[in-house]
Amino acid sequence: MFSLLNTLVEKNKKYGREGKVASYIPALSEANPDELGIYVVDSRGKEYYSGDYNAKFTIQSISKIVSLILAIRDNGRENVFKKVDVEPTGMGFNSIVNLEASDSGKPYNPMINAGAIVTTSLIDGKDVNEKLEKILEFMRTVTNNDDISVNERVYLSEKETGNRNRALAYFMKSTGVLDGDVEEILDLYFKQCSIEVTARDLARFGAVLANDGVIPWTNEKFIPKDVCRIVKTIMVTCGMYDASGDFAVKVGIPAKSGVGGGILATVPRKFGIGIYGPSLDEKGNSIAGINIITDLANELDLSIF
Amino acid sequence: MFSLLNTLVEKNKKYGREGKVASYIPALSEANPDELGIYVVDSRGKEYYSGDYNAKFTIQSISKIVSLILAIRDNGRENVFKKVDVEPTGMGFNSIVNLEASDSGKPYNPMINAGAIVTTSLIDGKDVNEKLEKILEFMRTVTNNDDISVNERVYLSEKETGNRNRALAYFMKSTGVLDGDVEEILDLYFKQCSIEVTARDLARFGAVLANDGVIPWTNEKFIPKDVCRIVKTIMVTCGMYDASGDFAVKVGIPAKSGVGGGILATVPRKFGIGIYGPSLDEKGNSIAGINIITDLANELDLSIF
Amino acid sequence: MFSLLNTLVEKNKKYGREGKVASYIPALSEANPDELGIYVVDSRGKEYYSGDYNAKFTIQSISKIVSLILAIRDNGRENVFKKVDVEPTGMGFNSIVNLEASDSGKPYNPMINAGAIVTTSLIDGKDVNEKLEKILEFMRTVTNNDDISVNERVYLSEKETGNRNRALAYFMKSTGVLDGDVEEILDLYFKQCSIEVTARDLARFGAVLANDGVIPWTNEKFIPKDVCRIVKTIMVTCGMYDASGDFAVKVGIPAKSGVGGGILATVPRKFGIGIYGPSLDEKGNSIAGINIITDLANELDLSIF
Amino acid sequence: MFSLLNTLVEKNKKYGREGKVASYIPALSEANPDELGIYVVDSRGKEYYSGDYNAKFTIQSISKIVSLILAIRDNGRENVFKKVDVEPTGMGFNSIVNLEASDSGKPYNPMINAGAIVTTSLIDGKDVNEKLEKILEFMRTVTNNDDISVNERVYLSEKETGNRNRALAYFMKSTGVLDGDVEEILDLYFKQCSIEVTARDLARFGAVLANDGVIPWTNEKFIPKDVCRIVKTIMVTCGMYDASGDFAVKVGIPAKSGVGGGILATVPRKFGIGIYGPSLDEKGNSIAGINIITDLANELDLSIF
C-alpha cells in the first residue's frame, strides 16, 4: 500500500499546475499548488501515507459534515431535516437562487453554505465559545489529535469577506428558517471553517465514518450508525459541490471537499482517506486530489456501486 | 424470504389509499391503487415474490435506464456525456428551467425527461422500428421474457399528450444538443415509455445490474461492469425524481421509479428488486412501493452506505 | 424637417459599423449594415424622409403589434389579457424560463415571442391563409400600401430555424395557455414576421397609432382609441426587448423594434416614425436606429414624460 | 374639481374592504382600512382635495424616488446607472433571485428594494444624520411642509424586521455593487422609508415633477428637467411593483406606491396627485387608491399615451 500511494502521489502531483489555489483570502492564496499528500486508515486502524500528508490546511467545507453530525446529535434527525432538505442541486454551492427556488423555503441540503449555516445554528451551547469547544472536542476525538484548533488568521479573513454568507443567513432569518442571532451563528460558522487539519486528521475521521461510527483505535461507539449512513449518503449526492454527480460516476466513494484543498473520503467497512492538494479545479475541488483518489479507487476497486 | 415478503406486502398495501394513480392519460388512471407486488432475484438467480408481482404495467421512466445503457453501448460513454450531464437536480423531472439553467446547455442528467430524450436520440438504427426492436430485444434478454412488448393504447395516449416533452425536445434542437428528426425521436421515446412489464421483469433486470452485468441465469456477460456502475450511481443521485436525496438517506439503494407504479432497485452484488404499486406520492413515486422497499432495506440491512 | 432628417442620417450612419446584422437566417445576414433611413408622418398626414427610407426589409417583431391589435379586435381586451399578461420583464425576449417563472403560467407580455405566439393564435379565421389575409389587409390599410406581402424566402428560413419558438409553443400547449394546432399557429407566426415593409410603411402605421387610431389621410376611425393606448403603453414598457427601460429613459417614445432592422415609433398626437438600419446592437435593436431616434427626440423634445 | 373628487372618494371608499393593510410591523397593521383621501395640485399650484387627505402615514417605497433624485444630484446620472439598471422586472419587488439573474450583477431598477438600497448608498454626507437631513430638507421643500420628519416607531420596527433587506444589501456588498458600511446604509434606508407624509405632501411633490422640476408655488427651478423625466419614466415602467405594466395600460400615468398606503402620481405638464388608502391589494398597492386614480384618469383623460 505504501508503494502504491507513493506511485500515485508522484503520478498526480503534476495536476497541481493545472488548477489554482483559492484566492479570496490571503492565507489561502499563499498555499503551494505543488503539494499533494494522501493518508489512508483501514477499518482496524492501520495507517498508510505518502507525500505532504502532514501539511496543515483549513478544513473549510469539510466542516459541514461535523456541524451536520452535531446538529443531529443535539436535535434528532427529524428536527434537523425540518430545517434543511437532503436533495442534491446542480447549482453552485453558495447560490442564493437556490434558497428561493426551494419549494419548502429550506436549503436544498446540508453541504451547501446555506444548509451548513442552518446545521451550525442547531448546535446547542450557551455561547459561541461553548459551541466551538464542542466542535473542536468532536474533531479531536475523531482525529485522535489533541492539537486541533482554529487558525485565527484565516478565521478573521473569512469573517471579513463573508458577505455572501451574511446574505444567505439574513435571507433565511427573514423566512424563519434560521433562529437565533445571525452574527453569532456566522461567527461560529467562520470559526468551524477555519479549523486546521492535516490529511491524517481527515483520514482518521473518514475511518470512523467508514466503520459505522466505531473508532478503530479505541473501539468506542462514537457516532450512531444511522447518522454515519446519512452523512455518507449526503456526501455521495452533494459532497463535491456541483461536480458531485460526476465524481460519483467516476469514483463512487462518499467524499467531501473544501476550498482549503482537503478531501475527506470514506469507503464503507474499508477505509478512511484524507487528501491534501490546495490547487483547485473550476468547481472548487482539489484538482490533484480528485485525480489521485480516482486512481486509488480504480486500483483497489473501491466504488460502492 | 417468502414469508418476509408476504408480511411486508400485507403491511404496506394500505399506503395505496394515501396516494393517487397517475391521471394524465386514461390507461394509467384506470390502475387499481390497492395493488402491490414485490419480486426479488438474488445474484445466483434465485427468485422470491409476493402480492401482485404478475400484474402488467408500463415501464415509463424506468426505460430511461435502458436508453442510457444502449446510448453508451452505441456511442461510448464519453460521447454520451458530451450531450447529457450527470449532475443531480433538486428541481422537477420535466422542468424546462433546468435546461436553460445548465451552464453547459446540456440536460443535467439522463434520468430527467430532457436527458432521456437525448439518450434515446443516440440509439443507433435506420428507423424508429429498428431502434425500438433493439430496445425490446435488450429488455427481453434482461427479463428472460420474450413477451415484452409495447402497450399500443398507452403509447398513443403518451404521443397525444406529450407536448411538454415536445417543448423540451424542440428547445434542445434549437440549442444543438439534440440531433435528428424531433418527431421521430419523440415517437421512439413515447414507445419505450409504453413497454409493458411486471415486477418480475424489473427484478430480473435489477439482478443483472446488481451482478455487474452478468446474467444470473445464463452467466452471460451482457452489460459491461463499468456501465452497470454508472447506471447504479445515477440511480442513487437522480433515480427517484426530486425525492432522490431523501430516498438515498432513508433506503440507500440504487433505484428508479416510473409513473406507471414500478420501481426497479438493485443492491450491488446481492439482489434485483422489482415492485409494482400504481398509487403515487406527490413526487411521482409509488407510495406503497417506497414504503415496502424501505422496510425491506431495513430488515436485510441493504444500504450501500 | 427634411434638412434635420438629412443631418441626422448623415450623423448616425456610422453606427452601423459598430453593430452586426442578424445572422440566424441567410436573407437577414445579407443586409447592408451601412443603410439607414428615416421617415416621419405628422398627425395631418404630412410626410418627411431621408436616407434609405425606401429599402425593403422584413417586419419581424414589429408584427407583434399587429397580432395584438387583431387579437383584441377579434376577442376583446379582457379575453386577450386572460391569456397573456402585460408585465415587462428584464429577461431575454425568447426566454423559456420566463414562461415557467410567471405565477399565472401566462407569458409576461405580448412583445416577447411567447406572448406574440398567443396573440397570433387568437386571430379568427378558418385557416392560416384567411388569417394571414386579415393581417395583410390590416397592414395595407395602415400603410396605405397595397403591395404589402410576405417575403417567401425569409418565411421558409424562419420556419426551418424556428425550433425555439416551437419549444415555446408546445410548452404553452402543454400548460393550456395555447389552443389550436401548434404547427398552424407557428406557420402564421412565421409568415407575419416575414412581411416586407419600408420605413415609410412603419411611419404611416405609427401615425395611425399616434392619431388615436384615426387614419390621417382618410380620417377613417380604424383602430379604437383605447386599443391604441394599450399598444403604445406596452411599446414603452416592453417594446425594445430588454433595453426597453433604458430606451424609455433616454428617448421616452413608444417604439417597437425588429431584428430585420426596423423601428416603429409613435409620438402621441404628433408623429409616426419609421426607421430602417439593419445593423443591430447586443440587445437586438437597430444600432443606428436607436441613435437617430434619440437625436430626433432631443431635437424636437418628443418625450412623453 | 372638488365635487368630482368628493364623488370619486365616496364611490371608491368601499374597496378598502377588499384589501388588507400591511401587517409586517405593528404601526402599519393599526391603519384604518376604510380611510381614503386624494389631493390634486395643478401646474400653477392650485390645490383640490377630498376625504382623508390630511391623514398621516409613512412614505415607504415612495421614498425610492427621493433617493434616486438625490443620488443623481450627488453623483451624476451616469455614475448612478453604472450601479443600478433601469429595466423593469416582472418579478417581486424584494426578490433576491432578481439580483443574481441580472447579467450585469446590478439591481434591475431603482424602484425595487435592492436598487433603492444602492441609490440610498450613493447619497453624499459625512454620516447617517447628515444624509437623513438632506433627504428631509428635500422633502420639506417639495412638499412646502417644514414638519416632515421620521416616524420613530415605524423606523425601529422596520429596522428590527428588515432581514430581507439585510440579505439584499450583504449580497450586493459581496458582489461589489454596494460600497460602504452595510448597517449604516440600511439604517438610512429604514429611516427614509419611515418619513411621515400626507396625501397633500405627495400631491405637491408630484406637481414639482409634473412641472419639470419647477416648484409651482415659488417658480424656483428645484430639480433638473432631465432628472424629472428619468424619474417619471421609471415610475411608469417600475413604479407599481409587479403591477406596473397593468397600471400603465389601465391608467397611463407615472406613479409610485408604498405599502403605507400612499400613491404619488404625476401627470406631465398638468397635475401632481397624492392618494392615501392603507388597504392594499395582493401586489402591495393601495386598493382603493388604484381604483380612484383609474376613475380620475378616465374622467380627465390623463393618460400620457
Side-chain angles (χ1 to χ4, degrees), chain C residues 150-182:
Chain C
V150 168
N151 180 321
E152 281 295 317
R153 187 176 164 226
V154 170
Y155 156 64
L156 291 171
S157 294
E158 293 287 349
K159 186 163 186 163
E160 200 184 317
T161 61
N163 289 314
R164 174 70 83 117
N165 287 320
R166 253 175 217 105
L168 289 165
Y170 279 112
F171 180 81
M172 292 190 289
K173 181 78 182 175
S174 79
T175 60
V177 170
L178 202 64
D179 289 324
D181 184 273
V182 169

Short mmCIF file of all heavy atoms in Angstrom, two decimals, chain C residues 150-182:
data_model
loop_
_atom_site.label_atom_id
_atom_site.label_comp_id
_atom_site.label_asym_id
_atom_site.label_seq_id
_atom_site.Cartn_x
_atom_site.Cartn_y
_atom_site.Cartn_z
N VAL C 150 -45.76 38.90 -48.03
CA VAL C 150 -44.79 38.10 -47.29
C VAL C 150 -43.57 37.82 -48.15
O VAL C 150 -43.69 37.49 -49.33
CB VAL C 150 -45.43 36.77 -46.85
CG1 VAL C 150 -44.39 35.78 -46.33
CG2 VAL C 150 -46.50 37.02 -45.80
N ASN C 151 -42.38 37.94 -47.57
CA ASN C 151 -41.14 37.54 -48.24
C ASN C 151 -41.01 36.02 -48.05
O ASN C 151 -40.69 35.54 -46.95
CB ASN C 151 -39.97 38.28 -47.61
CG ASN C 151 -38.64 37.91 -48.25
OD1 ASN C 151 -38.41 36.74 -48.58
ND2 ASN C 151 -37.76 38.89 -48.42
N GLU C 152 -41.25 35.29 -49.14
CA GLU C 152 -41.33 33.83 -49.04
C GLU C 152 -40.02 33.20 -48.57
O GLU C 152 -40.00 32.24 -47.81
CB GLU C 152 -41.71 33.22 -50.40
CG GLU C 152 -43.20 33.31 -50.74
CD GLU C 152 -44.08 32.48 -49.80
OE1 GLU C 152 -43.73 31.33 -49.47
OE2 GLU C 152 -45.14 33.03 -49.36
N ARG C 153 -38.92 33.76 -49.06
CA ARG C 153 -37.62 33.18 -48.71
C ARG C 153 -37.37 33.32 -47.20
O ARG C 153 -36.93 32.37 -46.54
CB ARG C 153 -36.54 33.92 -49.49
CG ARG C 153 -35.17 33.31 -49.34
CD ARG C 153 -34.15 34.02 -50.21
NE ARG C 153 -32.81 33.70 -49.78
CZ ARG C 153 -31.83 34.59 -49.61
NH1 ARG C 153 -32.05 35.87 -49.88
NH2 ARG C 153 -30.64 34.20 -49.20
N VAL C 154 -37.66 34.49 -46.68
CA VAL C 154 -37.48 34.68 -45.23
C VAL C 154 -38.43 33.76 -44.46
O VAL C 154 -38.02 33.09 -43.51
CB VAL C 154 -37.72 36.16 -44.83
CG1 VAL C 154 -37.77 36.31 -43.31
CG2 VAL C 154 -36.63 37.04 -45.42
N TYR C 155 -39.66 33.70 -44.91
CA TYR C 155 -40.64 32.83 -44.24
C TYR C 155 -40.13 31.39 -44.15
O TYR C 155 -40.19 30.76 -43.09
CB TYR C 155 -41.98 32.90 -44.97
CG TYR C 155 -42.85 31.69 -44.77
CD1 TYR C 155 -43.34 31.35 -43.50
CD2 TYR C 155 -43.19 30.87 -45.84
CE1 TYR C 155 -44.13 30.23 -43.32
CE2 TYR C 155 -43.97 29.74 -45.66
CZ TYR C 155 -44.44 29.41 -44.40
OH TYR C 155 -45.20 28.30 -44.21
N LEU C 156 -39.63 30.88 -45.26
CA LEU C 156 -39.18 29.48 -45.26
C LEU C 156 -37.99 29.29 -44.31
O LEU C 156 -37.91 28.28 -43.60
CB LEU C 156 -38.84 29.03 -46.68
CG LEU C 156 -40.06 28.91 -47.60
CD1 LEU C 156 -39.65 28.67 -49.06
CD2 LEU C 156 -41.00 27.78 -47.12
N SER C 157 -37.11 30.25 -44.29
CA SER C 157 -35.97 30.17 -43.36
C SER C 157 -36.44 30.24 -41.91
O SER C 157 -35.97 29.48 -41.06
CB SER C 157 -34.99 31.33 -43.60
OG SER C 157 -34.39 31.20 -44.87
N GLU C 158 -37.34 31.16 -41.62
CA GLU C 158 -37.86 31.28 -40.26
C GLU C 158 -38.47 29.96 -39.81
O GLU C 158 -38.25 29.49 -38.69
CB GLU C 158 -38.94 32.37 -40.18
CG GLU C 158 -38.45 33.78 -40.43
CD GLU C 158 -37.64 34.35 -39.27
OE1 GLU C 158 -37.61 33.73 -38.20
OE2 GLU C 158 -37.00 35.41 -39.46
N LYS C 159 -39.25 29.39 -40.71
CA LYS C 159 -39.93 28.13 -40.39
C LYS C 159 -38.92 27.02 -40.10
O LYS C 159 -39.10 26.22 -39.18
CB LYS C 159 -40.82 27.75 -41.57
CG LYS C 159 -41.68 26.55 -41.30
CD LYS C 159 -42.81 26.45 -42.30
CE LYS C 159 -43.73 25.32 -41.90
NZ LYS C 159 -45.03 25.43 -42.57
N GLU C 160 -37.87 27.00 -40.89
CA GLU C 160 -36.87 25.94 -40.76
C GLU C 160 -36.08 26.07 -39.45
O GLU C 160 -35.72 25.08 -38.83
CB GLU C 160 -35.93 26.01 -41.96
CG GLU C 160 -35.16 24.71 -42.19
CD GLU C 160 -34.17 24.88 -43.33
OE1 GLU C 160 -34.54 25.48 -44.36
OE2 GLU C 160 -33.01 24.45 -43.15
N THR C 161 -35.78 27.30 -39.07
CA THR C 161 -34.92 27.51 -37.90
C THR C 161 -35.72 27.82 -36.64
O THR C 161 -35.13 28.15 -35.61
CB THR C 161 -33.96 28.70 -38.13
OG1 THR C 161 -34.77 29.87 -38.33
CG2 THR C 161 -33.09 28.46 -39.34
N GLY C 162 -37.03 27.67 -36.68
CA GLY C 162 -37.86 28.17 -35.59
C GLY C 162 -38.06 27.23 -34.42
O GLY C 162 -39.13 27.23 -33.81
N ASN C 163 -37.04 26.44 -34.09
CA ASN C 163 -37.27 25.43 -33.04
C ASN C 163 -37.44 26.02 -31.65
O ASN C 163 -38.14 25.45 -30.82
CB ASN C 163 -36.13 24.41 -33.05
CG ASN C 163 -36.20 23.53 -34.27
OD1 ASN C 163 -37.28 23.04 -34.62
ND2 ASN C 163 -35.08 23.36 -34.96
N ARG C 164 -36.81 27.14 -31.38
CA ARG C 164 -37.02 27.78 -30.09
C ARG C 164 -38.49 28.21 -29.96
O ARG C 164 -39.11 28.02 -28.92
CB ARG C 164 -36.09 28.98 -29.97
CG ARG C 164 -36.31 29.81 -28.72
CD ARG C 164 -35.87 29.12 -27.44
NE ARG C 164 -34.47 29.28 -27.21
CZ ARG C 164 -33.91 29.92 -26.18
NH1 ARG C 164 -34.68 30.41 -25.21
NH2 ARG C 164 -32.62 30.05 -26.07
N ASN C 165 -39.03 28.76 -31.02
CA ASN C 165 -40.44 29.14 -30.98
C ASN C 165 -41.34 27.91 -30.87
O ASN C 165 -42.38 27.93 -30.21
CB ASN C 165 -40.80 29.97 -32.21
CG ASN C 165 -40.23 31.37 -32.13
OD1 ASN C 165 -40.24 31.98 -31.07
ND2 ASN C 165 -39.69 31.87 -33.23
N ARG C 166 -40.94 26.82 -31.55
CA ARG C 166 -41.70 25.58 -31.40
C ARG C 166 -41.72 25.13 -29.93
O ARG C 166 -42.74 24.69 -29.42
CB ARG C 166 -41.06 24.48 -32.27
CG ARG C 166 -41.87 24.17 -33.48
CD ARG C 166 -41.24 23.20 -34.43
NE ARG C 166 -41.59 23.67 -35.76
CZ ARG C 166 -40.79 24.27 -36.59
NH1 ARG C 166 -39.51 24.44 -36.30
NH2 ARG C 166 -41.24 24.70 -37.74
N ALA C 167 -40.55 25.22 -29.27
CA ALA C 167 -40.46 24.83 -27.86
C ALA C 167 -41.42 25.68 -27.02
O ALA C 167 -42.17 25.16 -26.19
CB ALA C 167 -39.03 24.98 -27.35
N LEU C 168 -41.40 26.99 -27.25
CA LEU C 168 -42.29 27.88 -26.51
C LEU C 168 -43.75 27.49 -26.74
O LEU C 168 -44.55 27.42 -25.80
CB LEU C 168 -42.09 29.33 -26.96
CG LEU C 168 -40.79 30.01 -26.56
CD1 LEU C 168 -40.57 31.28 -27.36
CD2 LEU C 168 -40.79 30.33 -25.07
N ALA C 169 -44.09 27.24 -27.99
CA ALA C 169 -45.49 26.95 -28.33
C ALA C 169 -45.94 25.63 -27.73
O ALA C 169 -47.03 25.52 -27.15
CB ALA C 169 -45.66 26.94 -29.85
N TYR C 170 -45.11 24.59 -27.84
CA TYR C 170 -45.51 23.30 -27.26
C TYR C 170 -45.57 23.38 -25.74
O TYR C 170 -46.39 22.72 -25.11
CB TYR C 170 -44.57 22.18 -27.72
CG TYR C 170 -44.92 21.67 -29.10
CD1 TYR C 170 -44.08 21.89 -30.19
CD2 TYR C 170 -46.13 20.98 -29.32
CE1 TYR C 170 -44.42 21.43 -31.46
CE2 TYR C 170 -46.47 20.52 -30.58
CZ TYR C 170 -45.62 20.74 -31.65
OH TYR C 170 -45.96 20.30 -32.90
N PHE C 171 -44.70 24.18 -25.16
CA PHE C 171 -44.78 24.36 -23.71
C PHE C 171 -46.12 25.00 -23.33
O PHE C 171 -46.81 24.53 -22.41
CB PHE C 171 -43.62 25.23 -23.23
CG PHE C 171 -43.65 25.44 -21.74
CD1 PHE C 171 -43.15 24.48 -20.89
CD2 PHE C 171 -44.20 26.59 -21.20
CE1 PHE C 171 -43.21 24.67 -19.51
CE2 PHE C 171 -44.26 26.78 -19.83
CZ PHE C 171 -43.76 25.81 -18.98
N MET C 172 -46.50 26.03 -24.05
CA MET C 172 -47.78 26.70 -23.74
C MET C 172 -48.96 25.80 -24.08
O MET C 172 -50.00 25.85 -23.42
CB MET C 172 -47.87 28.02 -24.48
CG MET C 172 -46.86 29.05 -23.97
SD MET C 172 -47.13 30.71 -24.63
CE MET C 172 -46.61 30.46 -26.32
N LYS C 173 -48.79 24.98 -25.09
CA LYS C 173 -49.84 23.99 -25.38
C LYS C 173 -50.01 23.06 -24.18
O LYS C 173 -51.12 22.73 -23.78
CB LYS C 173 -49.45 23.21 -26.65
CG LYS C 173 -50.45 22.17 -27.10
CD LYS C 173 -51.64 22.79 -27.82
CE LYS C 173 -52.65 21.74 -28.23
NZ LYS C 173 -53.86 22.36 -28.82
N SER C 174 -48.87 22.63 -23.61
CA SER C 174 -48.92 21.68 -22.50
C SER C 174 -49.54 22.29 -21.24
O SER C 174 -50.10 21.59 -20.41
CB SER C 174 -47.53 21.11 -22.19
OG SER C 174 -46.76 22.02 -21.43
N THR C 175 -49.42 23.61 -21.09
CA THR C 175 -49.99 24.25 -19.90
C THR C 175 -51.39 24.79 -20.15
O THR C 175 -52.00 25.38 -19.25
CB THR C 175 -49.11 25.43 -19.42
OG1 THR C 175 -49.03 26.39 -20.48
CG2 THR C 175 -47.73 24.98 -19.04
N GLY C 176 -51.88 24.64 -21.38
CA GLY C 176 -53.25 25.06 -21.68
C GLY C 176 -53.38 26.52 -22.04
O GLY C 176 -54.48 27.02 -22.27
N VAL C 177 -52.25 27.24 -22.12
CA VAL C 177 -52.33 28.66 -22.49
C VAL C 177 -52.61 28.80 -24.00
O VAL C 177 -53.26 29.74 -24.44
CB VAL C 177 -51.02 29.39 -22.12
CG1 VAL C 177 -50.97 30.79 -22.70
CG2 VAL C 177 -50.87 29.45 -20.60
N LEU C 178 -52.11 27.85 -24.77
CA LEU C 178 -52.26 27.92 -26.23
C LEU C 178 -53.30 26.89 -26.69
O LEU C 178 -53.20 25.71 -26.36
CB LEU C 178 -50.90 27.62 -26.88
CG LEU C 178 -50.69 28.12 -28.31
CD1 LEU C 178 -50.74 29.64 -28.37
CD2 LEU C 178 -49.35 27.63 -28.84
N ASP C 179 -54.29 27.36 -27.44
CA ASP C 179 -55.29 26.46 -28.03
C ASP C 179 -55.01 26.31 -29.52
O ASP C 179 -54.45 27.20 -30.14
CB ASP C 179 -56.70 27.05 -27.87
CG ASP C 179 -57.17 27.00 -26.43
OD1 ASP C 179 -56.82 26.02 -25.74
OD2 ASP C 179 -57.86 27.94 -26.00
N GLY C 180 -55.47 25.21 -30.08
CA GLY C 180 -55.38 25.02 -31.51
C GLY C 180 -54.15 24.25 -31.93
O GLY C 180 -53.34 23.82 -31.10
N ASP C 181 -53.98 24.10 -33.24
CA ASP C 181 -52.89 23.31 -33.80
C ASP C 181 -51.59 24.11 -33.76
O ASP C 181 -51.48 25.18 -34.38
CB ASP C 181 -53.25 22.93 -35.23
CG ASP C 181 -52.20 22.02 -35.84
OD1 ASP C 181 -51.21 22.56 -36.41
OD2 ASP C 181 -52.34 20.80 -35.74
N VAL C 182 -50.60 23.58 -33.03
CA VAL C 182 -49.36 24.32 -32.82
C VAL C 182 -48.65 24.64 -34.13
O VAL C 182 -48.21 25.78 -34.35
CB VAL C 182 -48.41 23.54 -31.87
CG1 VAL C 182 -47.03 24.17 -31.87
CG2 VAL C 182 -48.98 23.50 -30.47
#
